[in-house]
Structure formats: structure tokens, C-alpha cells
Amino acid sequence: MGEFAFGLLGQLPNDRVEVDAFAISWRRRHQLSEQLPNCIGFIDKAMPARPLHAVWDRADVLRLERLIGPAYAVVHGSNFFVPPTKAVRFVTVHDLTPKHFPEMCMPTVLRYPSYIQRYVDEGVYIHTPTEFVKNELIEIFGASKDRVVAIHHGIPTDAYLDSESVSEEFISKLDNYAKGKKIVLAVGTIEPRKGLVGFLDAFDEIQRSRSDVVFVVAGSKGWGWQPFEAKMKSLSNPGSVLVLGWVSDAERKWLYRRSEVLIFPSLYEGFGLPVLEAMSHGLPVVHSDAGAVVEVAGGAGYKVVGRERSSWVLALERVLDDERVRDQLRSAGFERASGFTWAVAAEKMRKAYLSALDMHN
């Protein structure tokens, strides 16, 4: 969610739109102020999250104006929630994971569907990162088409690696581990929705017939990551999988350049940023057909239909072994990723704000 908020904020202000940011937090709000671009103002108001959400969960009382003042025409909540306010309200709904897979969500996330239904009923404008999520909101929650706007996220424009910002220790760790073998890469938090447990079955089958590949996972251990750990230990060669944990932006970019293929076997996605990041660095992508992944990939990746192990084995081996296929995916990926910029997203978001204001004036 941070990628979205900070990527958009840096491009939103222009001669017609001024932007201030605030955080519903008592102690951690200064973490936001330290990361904001210079073009963004910061509202330094201590707002205790738990008491306020306890009030707002019951009813739309205690409007935002009483906390930060009445100066704003539009208030946009960037992560499933926007406080009650007299201003025109926008809220970003990134996906409907808690609706489709409640068993894969933390308790706090399970509240999101009730928020969404309230916003739909109240006529709040809803931003989604894909047409896929927009259509889900219309079909499942009865949202009005003219109140939901689908605007793709962008990806960072500095797509070229600054090798000096990657430590020699990190590079040596990967080189010593891979030892010249082909790296199959996964990027993202390790959690059930990402489909990594099922992919390990396919990777294990590949490992039994060839010894020239290793699997590297760049992502933190998320909620429900234990089944992945158990499956990893049960592989015929557990040492062929390396979990790096969280990596920096520079390290992630280095991994994209060093790897042979990115796999993205997600069971459900509202967007799928690693797909585009990998493409922007010339890394072929093998992805699932779930959620919004197909829309985001736009035909520039190798799509695996269904979750069958044999399908993933076939797809991965073809990309690993066929240079012509890899070249086609690299070329298509570069072209696809080039269309996703935060400047384009910000321009579309400004138009959505101004259009909503025109309707309310």
C-alpha cells in the first residue's frame, strides 16, 4: 500500500491541485512526514487510531473537520478507509481478498467488506487499481459504475539498477548460493494468497530432473507463512530454496537483473506490482490466471491456466530452456511496463477529483 500512496503523492500536485497528507496515528505519524515529497504538505495532528476507528466503526460521527480543519475539497483514503467528512470522499479499494478468502486474512482486515458496503451505500467515490476489481465491486457490492474509477498503479521510473547501492555482502550471498545456477525468483510477502506452497510442488518436480536451478524468495514472512516453511522442509532438496526475507529496493532490482524468471502463482490479486517491476527490468514472467494478474500482465507474460502442478512445470521449463521464448517475453514485458507510470496515474486521479467536484457543485 505504501508503494501506491507515495508513488501517487509525488505526482499529484500541479497548478490546479494542492495536496496535504495526514496519518490517523498518535505516535507514528512522523514516519509519514519524513517520507513525504517536498511538494506535499503535512498535517501534524495527533489522531489516536484505535479510539477513532472504534467511533467510526459504529457511525459516521466526529467528522474529520473537527480534527484537522475544514480546508479540503476532497479527502482520499489510500487503504480501504476514509473518515467521515463534509468534503467529497474517495477511498482506494486494492482488492477483495477478505471477501473471497477470509480464512487468509488477519482479523483487522476482515472489517474491510463492511467498510466497502457502507461507502457504496453512501455514494463515496471508490478508486480501484484495475478494471477487474472495479467489476467485482459492481457485481458483489452493487456499486454504481459512475462512482467507481479504475486507475492503474504506476511503477518507479528509475528502472535502471544502481549497483553501488547493493552491498557486496548481499551479492556474495546470492552468488555463493546460486553458484552459477539459474535463479527462479518470487517477490512478495509469504502468505497463503500468494500460492507459493502449491508452486513448491512444481519446483520440487523440476528439481528431481535437473540440478541447474534454484528458487529464491524475496519477501517477509507474513501471516500464515508456516505451511510454506513446512512444505519447503519436505522437498527432495530443501537447500534449493533460499528465503531472503525483506529486501531493499536496490536489492530487489538487482535480483530482477540476476534472475532467469519471475514466478507469480498468486491465487488472487487486485493488481500485482512485482509482475510489472520484473518486466521493466527485462525479466520474463510466468504468472497465474487469477484475479487481476492477467489484466496487469496484458499478454506480456507466460500465463498458466489453473493450478495444476504439471502446467507450472511445463511453463517454467519452457521459459528456462527456450531462449526465443525468453526474448519474446523480455520485449513484450518492456513495452507493457512502460505504460504504467505514476505521472499517468496522477493525471487520471486529478481528473477524477475534479469531475467529482463538478458533480457536487
Side-chain angles (χ1 to χ4, degrees), residues 80 92-97 100 116 126-141 143 148-150 268-271 291-292 295:
F80 291 94
T92 294
V93 172
H94 296 273
D95 57 58
L96 296 185
T97 300
H100 297 301
I116 295 169
I126 301 177
H127 159 244
T128 66
T130 52
E131 291 288 340
F132 176 85
V133 179
K134 174 180 178 176
N135 291 333
E136 284 196 310
L137 286 172
I138 293 170
E139 294 169 8
I140 297 173
F141 291 92
V148 186
V149 55
Y268 174 82
E269 288 289 334
F271 191 70
E295 176 184 338

Side-chain angles (χ1 to χ4, degrees), residues 56-68:
W56 288 330
D57 281 352
R58 296 188 186 96
D60 280 350
V61 296
L62 188 58
R63 288 180 171 174
L64 190 63
E65 285 78 6
R66 292 182 60 184
L67 300 171
I68 66 172

Side-chain angles (χ1 to χ4, degrees), residues 206-227:
I206 291 173
Q207 275 278 294
R208 291 193 181 101
S209 61
R210 59 193 297 170
S211 59
D212 64 335
V213 293
V214 291
F215 183 32
V216 174
V217 183
S220 303
K221 298 174 183 178
W223 178 87
W225 93 286
Q226 293 83 356

Side-chain angles (χ1 to χ4, degrees), residues 8-9 11-14 17-21 39-42 72 350 353:
L8 187 67
L9 280 174
Q11 299 291 330
L12 264 180
N14 68 0
V17 176
E18 295 182 5
V19 181
D20 290 338
C39 58
I40 303 296
F42 175 62
Y72 299 96
R350 282 192 295 267
Y353 293 157

